[in-house]
Amino acid sequence: MIFLEKATVYYLQFFHFEEFSQEKKKSMWRRSPSFILDERRSSNSPPMADTTRGPFQNPDSISAYYQTRAAHHGVITSDWLAQAQAAVGGVSGDAQHDLSVTDLGNEKSFNVIEEFNNWRKQPDLAEAVAAIRALAAVIRASEASTMMELEIELKKASDTLKSWDKTSISLTAGCDLFIRYVTRTSALEYEDFNSAKSRLLERAEKFGEISCKARRIIAMLSQDFIFDGCTILVHGLSRVVLEILKTAAQNNKLFRVLCTEGRPDGTGVLLSSELSKLDIPVKLLLDSAVAYSMDEVDMVFVGADGVVESGGIINMMGTYQIALVAHSMNKPVYVAAESYKFARLYPLDQKDMAPALRPIEFGVKIPTKVEVERSARDYTPPQYLTLLFTDLGVLSPSVVSDELIQLYL
Amino acid sequence: MHSAVYKVGLHYLSWDISGGNARCIAMLQAFQEVVKDYSTPPENTLNRDMTAQISSYVSFLIECRPLSISMGNAIRFVKNRIAKLPITLSESEAKASLHSDIERFINEKIIGADTVIVEHAVTKIRDGDVLLTYGSSTVIEMILVHAHELGKKFRVFVVDSRPKLQGKLLLRRLIKRGINCTYTHITAISYIMHQVTKVFLGASSVFSNGTVYSRVGTACVAMVANAFRVPVLVCCEAYKFHEKVQLDYSICSNELGDPNAISKVHGREDINYLNGLTNNAKLKFLNLMYDATPSDYISMIITDYGMVPPTSVPVIVREYQKEHLLQSSKIVI
């Protein structure tokens, strides 16, 4: 009798689907709990299969930015090694292509990508700074005799850098910032070419110092928000956030840190290791334990890969989730970010950004039919953020756009 | 009375020319004709006399239809240029300078601004989108047409409302381009909103606190979209921004339309159920032209200065004014 009832239900479902057109089937799919049956039917239908697979991202493309981060953090998995080797092949191809383009443009064998990669290898150097150092090298290698020619060369090199890794926001922001500085300077002051050129170089060199200084400024500004006995939740391994916590410890403040595990990179494990060296009490959480632990949290600290025009941030995957939980439980979310990470982007939702993909290892073999979400970062809208700690001061998210407008107009 | 101004006024009166940009361009072009035909009276200076003439023409235009905020800003621009004309210029030089200033305003602040807005806005349209727009807006039409030309696959809901039913005009133009459209009235908006992925709205103005001033019904559309968590993108040229702050739906700064338009159905003279009531002292017909949408319901404002949150409107206003001051100083140099 029970078997008969189940069979009847199954049959009715099957019959039910026959009644609907393809269009309705799609809309039904979103709401119907019978997605398994629907998927089975769609797999039998070639046009549907083509439609569903078309918009998927190429699963083999890996964001170079996250490869570098993984290398810096010393996280090596077998999967990562295999894909890194494949990616190295791809990167070499790109490098060759860019080299030939640069040759045609400059008639010289200088390669801005190589220069950038060399700078990028330094763990403490921000990507934006590496980009600006690479552009400074372009200036040094340039044989232009007028500011106009130099600007054109820089613009070309900047575009080359940005297209090399479209997913890196700080790379784009760094390039835009430097080009903006160049165009503004040359427009406002009429010096002779050589002194202008050396001034640009000087500016580029100082930018690296600005980066380190920015971290210290942010660390100092943040101290007012850390009180004795507080518990801080941290997500992701941000150099700035680490600097903040280090400074607080040096100021003899007593506080506790909860770190998310940060799979698949294991950034939380690394951060907790660093913090324990500083004798800061630290607890490691599973990524899924955030809501469970949020009641003991007094504030959340996150870094940012990019700060966008809406005042929201783009950061390591999971940031948005944590911000939502914190917001619903009335815990402040503080973002620590250098101002050169401000970018003229305005995402409307999670899918409104170029996807930055990374390899994920689950420890067991994943069947090929199983789709894996490999995006490495998410977008947190400004309404879930409390304050931004930047080298320009402590800002509310709505001020980001104001700063960007004044900078770029 | 200059014939060009008179002609434009009649177009306003009969609603042949409507919409913030169209009215503004028509007015500025009429002013260019005025400048071209102008000659200074013997006992007066060009600056003072031309300003007085422009003022009288503006009064006439206001009688035909109240000014939009974009027109007000444009008039302020023209008067500012007149006031800043150096006395050392000859009359023909002054006229040529003024004519080109107005020409540049039209090309940069209106037409060029729309081009920039379109370039920004199409980046937010992707394949599979279902877009909703309300009424008829020139820049929204340009955005949809351009996105279509780029080969993007999307559908458009054109939402309309009585008594003007201007969405029909937009609908006709979109269909002619081969864009997939659905037409409905604003009363059905809560039913269709769950299918919509983005809402694009035009605006008559944006105030300093981010409030969007636009055709009546816009606030309703934005609020429904917000309730369904659909992003609302407002496209507005920077020259339409205003330093004013508006906190509520005050009627005192609205424009009243023809009250009879409410009680009648255009093209159906036989349908007139309220005919016997038009003289009733206890009954009033209220035909409002504009409403105000609080900034909370707006996801993004797309302007010729980029895509900004509503909280950044004061900075745009300031940069816009600063730009004009810079232009002034350049001219002085």
Side-chain angles (χ1 to χ4, degrees):
Chain A
M1 181 60 66
I2 292 173
F3 172 80
L4 182 61
E5 282 179 359
K6 279 187 177 178
T8 305
V9 169
Y10 179 88
Y11 176 76
L12 283 177
Q13 280 178 345
F14 183 86
F15 179 79
H16 198 54
F17 276 107
E18 291 282 10
E19 293 285 312
F20 284 85
S21 69
Q22 216 173 57
E23 186 73 27
K24 285 182 177 176
K25 210 178 292 183
K26 281 185 181 177
S27 65
M28 277 289 296
W29 182 86
R30 277 202 293 263
R31 304 189 194 118
S32 170
S34 309
F35 66 93
I36 293 173
L37 185 60
D38 190 63
E39 191 175 81
R40 198 169 294 153
R41 290 187 55 82
S42 68
S43 65
N44 292 333
S45 169
M48 283 276 291
D50 289 344
T51 305
T52 51
R53 290 199 171 90
F56 289 168
Q57 284 294 325
N58 178 11
D60 290 324
S61 75
I62 298 170
S63 167
Y65 179 63
Y66 288 97
Q67 284 184 64
T68 306
R69 282 177 65 116
H72 282 173
H73 300 155
V75 178
I76 297 178
T77 64
S78 56
D79 233 24
W80 181 85
L81 275 179
Q83 307 212 34
Q85 282 165 14
V88 165
V91 170
S92 297
D94 279 346
Q96 290 301 318
H97 176 71
D98 286 317
L99 180 62
S100 59
V101 168
T102 311
D103 273 345
L104 288 177
N106 296 340
E107 295 178 359
K108 206 181 178 185
S109 61
F110 177 77
N111 185 0
V112 68
I113 302 292
E114 265 176 33
E115 189 76 20
F116 174 64
N117 280 333
N118 286 336
W119 285 109
R120 221 156 51 95
K121 281 166 186 166
Q122 300 185 24
D124 262 3
L125 200 71
E127 220 186 31
V129 180
I132 287 171
R133 290 280 169 84
L135 292 177
V138 171
I139 297 175
R140 252 181 251 111
S142 171
E143 291 176 349
S145 57
T146 64
M147 186 56 71
M148 181 73 69
E149 285 174 34
L150 185 59
E151 275 182 37
I152 291 171
E153 274 186 45
L154 275 176
K155 190 70 171 66
K156 203 178 298 181
S158 172
D159 289 343
T160 302
L161 272 175
K162 288 195 279 185
S163 63
W164 185 76
D165 186 6
K166 290 193 174 76
T167 65
S168 175
I169 295 164
S170 53
L171 170 58
T172 298
C175 289
D176 287 348
L177 201 60
F178 191 65
I179 297 297
R180 184 60 186 167
Y181 174 80
V182 169
T183 53
R184 260 196 178 168
T185 302
S186 55
L188 290 176
E189 307 174 45
Y190 307 94
E191 316 176 39
D192 80 292
F193 177 69
N194 283 322
S195 51
K197 185 173 174 179
S198 59
R199 185 129 64 102
L200 290 182
L201 285 174
E202 183 185 323
R203 175 71 181 189
E205 296 301 321
K206 282 187 175 175
F207 201 82
E209 299 167 25
I210 291 173
S211 174
C212 295
K213 203 178 299 181
R215 266 179 234 150
R216 281 196 295 274
I217 292 172
I218 294 170
M220 290 308 299
L221 287 174
S222 311
Q223 297 311 302
D224 293 339
F225 296 83
I226 300 177
F227 50 90
D228 274 337
C230 70
T231 301
I232 302 169
L233 174 66
V234 172
H235 178 62
L237 204 161
S238 161
R239 282 176 285 250
V240 193
V241 171
L242 183 53
E243 186 82 21
I244 290 170
L245 300 176
K246 198 180 294 184
T247 305
Q250 285 166 6
N251 290 341
N252 296 316
K253 297 204 176 182
L254 300 176
F255 60 96
R256 190 164 66 117
V257 175
L258 308 185
C259 290
T260 55
E261 182 191 8
R263 278 184 56 80
D265 299 343
T267 51
V269 182
L270 293 168
L271 183 60
S272 58
S273 169
E274 292 292 321
L275 294 178
S276 63
K277 289 175 191 170
L278 300 169
D279 285 329
I280 298 173
V282 58
K283 178 196 263 189
L284 199 56
L285 310 177
L286 286 181
D287 293 322
S288 48
V290 166
Y292 174 86
S293 308
M294 189 58 75
D295 59 320
E296 359 170 358
V297 171
D298 293 301
M299 66 194 77
V300 179
F301 270 97
V302 292
D305 283 346
V307 182
V308 298
E309 186 130 24
S310 62
I313 62 170
I314 295 175
N315 197 36
M316 178 179 169
M317 179 64 81
T319 307
Y320 179 36
Q321 208 157 301
I322 291 174
L324 280 175
V325 174
H327 187 257
S328 70
M329 297 176 85
N330 289 321
K331 309 293 181 175
V333 178
Y334 300 130
V335 179
E338 301 92 328
S339 61
Y340 57 76
K341 287 181 173 170
F342 288 18
R344 297 214 75 187
L345 301 169
Y346 201 132
L348 285 172
D349 53 34
Q350 302 304 316
K351 309 303 190 290
D352 206 8
M353 305 177 285
L357 305 180
R358 61 177 166 177
I360 297 181
E361 184 173 334
F362 286 96
V364 294
K365 179 76 173 174
I366 305 294
T368 52
K369 284 184 179 178
V370 172
E371 189 189 346
V372 175
E373 174 61 66
R374 302 156 62 104
S375 193
R377 62 190 181 191
D378 56 23
Y379 164 66
T380 306
Q383 60 262 34
Y384 304 112
L385 306 174
T386 309
L387 289 172
L388 304 172
F389 300 150
T390 78
D391 46 303
L392 302 177
V394 180
L395 310 176
S396 70
S398 61
V399 174
V400 173
S401 178
D402 300 1
E403 295 293 332
L404 280 164
I405 291 167
Q406 290 176 68
L407 177 64
Y408 281 100
L409 294 184
Chain B
M1 176 69 60
H2 196 283
S3 60
V5 174
Y6 187 73
K7 208 177 300 180
V8 166
L10 290 190
H11 282 307
Y12 288 174
L13 200 56
S14 59
W15 280 76
D16 290 338
I17 299 180
S18 66
N21 282 344
R23 292 172 68 198
C24 193
I25 291 174
M27 179 187 71
L28 289 176
Q29 285 171 346
F31 286 169
Q32 281 181 315
E33 293 299 312
V34 168
V35 167
K36 191 165 58 172
D37 298 336
Y38 176 84
S39 64
T40 313
E43 71 282 0
N44 214 325
T45 63
L46 180 144
N47 305 55
R48 195 172 296 116
D49 181 65
M50 185 177 282
T51 303
Q53 271 201 32
I54 294 289
S55 292
S56 67
Y57 293 150
V58 168
S59 296
F60 169 72
L61 294 177
I62 291 174
E63 288 298 315
C64 298
R65 190 187 162 189
L67 297 181
S68 66
I69 286 169
S70 59
M71 294 166 74
N73 287 346
I75 290 165
R76 198 174 307 147
F77 166 82
V78 171
K79 290 186 173 179
N80 183 269
R81 306 302 330 146
I82 295 172
K84 286 204 158 49
L85 288 170
I87 302 174
T88 53
L89 288 185
S90 71
E91 177 174 303
S92 59
E93 281 170 347
K95 287 164 65 174
S97 171
L98 194 57
H99 190 280
S100 70
D101 280 346
I102 297 178
E103 190 72 25
R104 198 174 73 249
F105 186 92
I106 294 175
N107 287 332
E108 288 180 12
K109 300 304 177 189
I110 305 178
I111 297 173
D114 280 349
T115 304
V116 174
I117 289 172
V118 167
E119 290 304 320
H120 283 303
V122 291
T123 64
K124 291 307 178 190
I125 299 176
R126 44 178 195 245
D127 284 345
D129 263 346
V130 180
L131 311 174
L132 183 145
T133 186
Y134 171 60
S136 176
S137 164
T138 304
V139 67
I140 303 297
E141 178 185 350
M142 289 168 66
I143 291 165
L144 299 175
V145 168
H146 188 52
H148 184 66
E149 285 166 356
L150 292 177
K152 305 205 180 193
K153 310 297 182 200
F154 59 92
R155 290 164 46 211
V156 179
F157 274 101
V158 179
V159 175
D160 218 358
S161 71
R162 297 189 64 256
K164 295 237 169 275
L165 294 171
Q166 288 182 316
K168 284 183 175 179
L169 306 176
L170 175 64
L171 179 70
R172 234 183 285 273
R173 291 194 291 267
L174 294 180
I175 289 176
K176 199 174 299 181
R177 299 285 199 149
I179 295 174
N180 192 344
C181 297
T182 304
Y183 178 79
T184 189
H185 278 238
I186 195 168
T187 42
I189 196 168
S190 59
Y191 182 80
I192 63 175
M193 191 58 79
H194 72 274
Q195 298 178 49
V196 175
T197 57
K198 281 169 195 101
V199 175
F200 280 92
L201 300 171
S204 290
S205 179
V206 181
F207 299 138
S208 272
N209 59 341
T211 300
V212 168
Y213 187 72
S214 192
R215 84 179 62 249
V216 69
T218 303
C220 178
V221 173
M223 290 174 187
V224 175
N226 198 258
F228 282 79
R229 295 192 172 278
V230 180
V232 175
L233 288 68
V234 171
C235 303
C236 184
E237 301 85 352
Y239 87 104
K240 290 177 171 174
F241 285 21
H242 204 281
E243 315 93 61
K244 183 163 73 171
V245 167
Q246 184 158 328
L247 297 177
D248 59 6
Y249 301 104
S250 170
I251 263 176
C252 65
S253 65
N254 211 311
E255 179 186 340
L256 294 179
D258 176 17
N260 290 320
I262 294 279
S263 58
K264 292 174 179 173
V265 177
H266 186 67
R268 291 291 306 270
E269 308 309 322
D270 51 319
I271 301 180
N272 197 350
Y273 302 115
L274 301 173
N275 187 29
L277 295 172
T278 50
N279 294 322
N280 193 315
K282 295 188 185 300
L283 177 61
K284 301 285 189 296
F285 292 102
L286 182 64
N287 182 9
L288 295 175
M289 291 289 115
Y290 296 101
D291 66 16
T293 306
S295 61
D296 299 332
Y297 301 108
I298 295 156
S299 311
M300 176 192 286
I301 296 178
I302 305 179
T303 175
D304 35 315
Y305 287 77
M307 297 181 283
V308 302
T311 49
S312 289
V313 173
V315 181
I316 299 283
V317 171
R318 190 170 72 235
E319 292 294 320
Y320 180 87
Q321 289 169 358
K322 190 190 300 180
E323 186 175 313
H324 280 252
L325 290 182
L326 283 180
Q327 286 182 11
S328 307
S329 62
K330 282 178 186 173
I331 289 173
V332 168
I333 288 171

